[in-house]
Amino acid sequence: MTARTSGLHHVTAIAGDPQRNIDFYIQGLGLRLVKRTVNFDDPSTYHLYYGDEAGRPGTLMTFFPWRGVPAGRVGAGQSTSTAFSVPQDSLGWWKDHFGALGVEPSITSADGEDRLVVRDPDGLVLELVASSTEDPRDPWDSASVPAEHAVRGQHSSVLTVADAESTLRVLIEDLGMTPVSQSGGRTRVAAGEGGPGRIIDVVADPRAQRGLTAGGTVHHIAFRVPDQATQEQWRRELVERGHTVTAILDRQYFTSIYFREPGGVLFEIATDAPGFDVDEPLLELGRSLKLPPWLEPTREDIEHSVQRITLPQENNPAVVDR
Ligand code: ZN
C-alpha cells in the first residue's frame, strides 16, 4: 500500500495577542473557534483552532498565540501563503468587508483564479480564492460573514523552497498527490480528485532568504489520513523511505505524526477522527478552556498563566448564558 492523503487537514501558524487573533478570525474571516485549548508542548500558552461549524478536517486554521512574540520572516522552507475557498462572485463583498475593518486587500488573477490577498493582524499572508471549481462544503453561517460569501474551508497552501524537486517528490511519491499544472516556477499538485482543500502549490525560489518561524508565519501544515491504523502504516512507509518521523502523538482531537520535508517545511499527518465534539457539545465549541486528561491536574496553574479572552457571542449563537 502506498500512502495517499485526501488533502489538507489544517494549517498552524504563530500569532501574537490571542484576543486580536480571535477577533480577526471570527469577525474578520468569519470562521468559528472550535477549540480553546493549550499548546500541549507548552501548556502555558493557548492553542486556538478555527474552522467550520464542527471544525471538519480541511477547514481548520490553528494558532499558537504568544503575546509579544517577535515577528518572523517569510521565506524559503515555509508555507508562505494560506488560501481559503470562497464562492466565485464573493471577492467584491470581501474587499468591502475588509476595507470596513481597516484592512486593505489586493485582488490578483492568475491561471483562471481570482484571489484576494490580505494579511492578518500579525502579518500572516492569507488569500481568498474564488475557485472556478464548485466547492460543495457547507460554510459556517456567522453574524459577521453571511453564508453566501463565507469561507468554505482551506483552498490550498503555497510552499516556497529553494529547490522544488525534492519537495515535489515527497508530495507525489510519499503522500500520493498528483501533479496538476505548472506555470513559471510554480507547480501545483493535488490530492484525490483535486479541487479546494486538496491543493499544494510548490514555488521554487532559489534566491529566497531562509524563512524564520515566529510571529506571522506558518509553523507547519497537516495532511489528512482517515484513521490511526492507516497512520501507523504510513509512518512505517515514511521511515522506510528515509524520513525522520516522530512517534504517533495524541492531540486529543486527532493523532499526529510529524516530519520535515527536504525543502524545510514541517509536515504533519493527522487523523480525521475523533474530532472536536469529543469533549464538548457542538453548540458549545470554543466557549471554555478544554484540556486533555493528562493536563487536567494542572488546570488551575494553566488557567492562571493564559491570557483572559472574550469570545464574541456569534461563535455560539444557540447558547443562552444564564
Ligand atoms: Zn498541527
Side-chain angles (χ1 to χ4, degrees):
M1 189 193 82
T2 299
R4 198 165 279 277
T5 182
S6 58
L8 282 162
H9 187 285
H10 66 266
V11 173
T12 295
I14 297 174
D17 185 69
Q19 186 65 55
R20 192 174 62 170
N21 186 258
I22 282 176
D23 293 344
F24 180 84
Y25 282 90
I26 293 179
Q27 294 171 324
L29 209 55
L31 302 184
R32 187 182 193 202
L33 183 74
V34 294
K35 197 60 64 184
R36 181 194 309 199
T37 184
V38 292
N39 182 343
F40 294 176
D41 303 319
D42 176 11
S44 65
T45 60
Y46 282 119
H47 191 179
L48 303 176
Y49 289 81
Y50 304 91
D52 69 358
E53 180 184 20
R56 291 175 183 86
T59 71
L60 293 163
M61 182 80 206
T62 98
F63 287 90
F64 299 134
W66 277 293
R67 200 150 49 144
V69 72
R73 182 176 64 222
V74 176
Q78 283 179 337
S79 166
T80 49
S81 177
T82 303
F84 294 91
S85 167
V86 299
Q88 199 155 20
D89 299 320
S90 292
L91 290 188
W93 184 91
W94 279 101
K95 194 169 192 301
D96 293 344
H97 172 71
F98 281 123
L101 297 173
V103 182
E104 266 320 306
S106 58
I107 293 183
T108 62
S109 189
D111 301 327
E113 272 174 1
D114 295 330
R115 43 182 70 213
L116 179 146
V117 185
V118 70
R119 284 175 181 262
D120 87 352
D122 289 291
L124 186 73
V125 179
L126 305 175
E127 296 180 276
L128 299 185
V129 178
S131 179
S132 49
T133 319
E134 179 73 20
D135 192 335
R137 296 175 291 181
D138 287 331
W140 169 238
D141 190 4
S142 79
S144 297
V145 180
E148 61 172 315
H149 300 300
V151 164
R152 266 49 185 171
Q154 297 278 355
H155 177 274
S156 53
S157 176
V158 176
L159 311 185
T160 300
V161 290
D163 166 27
E165 204 177 311
S166 48
T167 299
L168 283 166
R169 193 177 305 133
V170 171
L171 291 166
I172 294 164
E173 293 178 10
D174 298 338
L175 296 182
M177 299 181 83
T178 313
V180 175
S181 61
Q182 191 165 28
S183 77
R186 176 184 292 241
T187 306
R188 172 165 290 193
V189 296
E193 62 264 45
R198 302 192 180 92
I199 299 167
I200 300 288
D201 287 327
V202 179
V203 172
D205 186 352
R207 288 167 306 174
Q209 217 180 349
R210 188 94 189 153
L212 184 72
T213 306
T217 64
V218 170
H219 186 268
H220 64 265
I221 65 169
F223 297 90
R224 295 175 66 174
V225 61
D227 52 50
Q228 210 179 318
T230 316
Q231 185 177 51
E232 277 167 23
Q233 173 76 29
W234 287 19
R235 187 182 178 283
R236 278 194 295 273
E237 289 182 16
L238 288 165
V239 169
E240 275 166 25
R241 288 164 183 261
H243 297 288
T244 303
V245 189
T246 66
I248 293 177
L249 299 171
D250 184 358
R251 296 317 195 189
Q252 182 75 356
Y253 312 104
F254 44 86
T255 60
S256 298
I257 55 175
Y258 302 80
F259 68 100
R260 204 170 286 280
E261 59 83 30
V265 185
L266 185 59
F267 282 0
E268 173 182 351
I269 295 174
T271 55
D272 284 356
F276 290 89
D277 59 355
V278 72
D279 59 359
E280 59 186 336
L282 184 66
L283 291 178
E284 299 192 7
L285 294 184
R287 285 188 86 220
S288 53
L289 181 70
K290 305 308 286 187
L291 299 175
W294 64 91
L295 290 177
E296 274 299 343
T298 54
R299 172 176 281 276
E300 212 175 310
D301 291 343
I302 290 173
E303 286 183 342
H304 201 72
S305 59
V306 293
Q307 195 182 325
R308 207 167 282 281
I309 50 178
T310 307
L311 192 60
Q313 172 64 33
E314 67 179 273
N315 201 68
N316 307 87
V319 177
V320 180
D321 278 308
R322 279 183 289 185

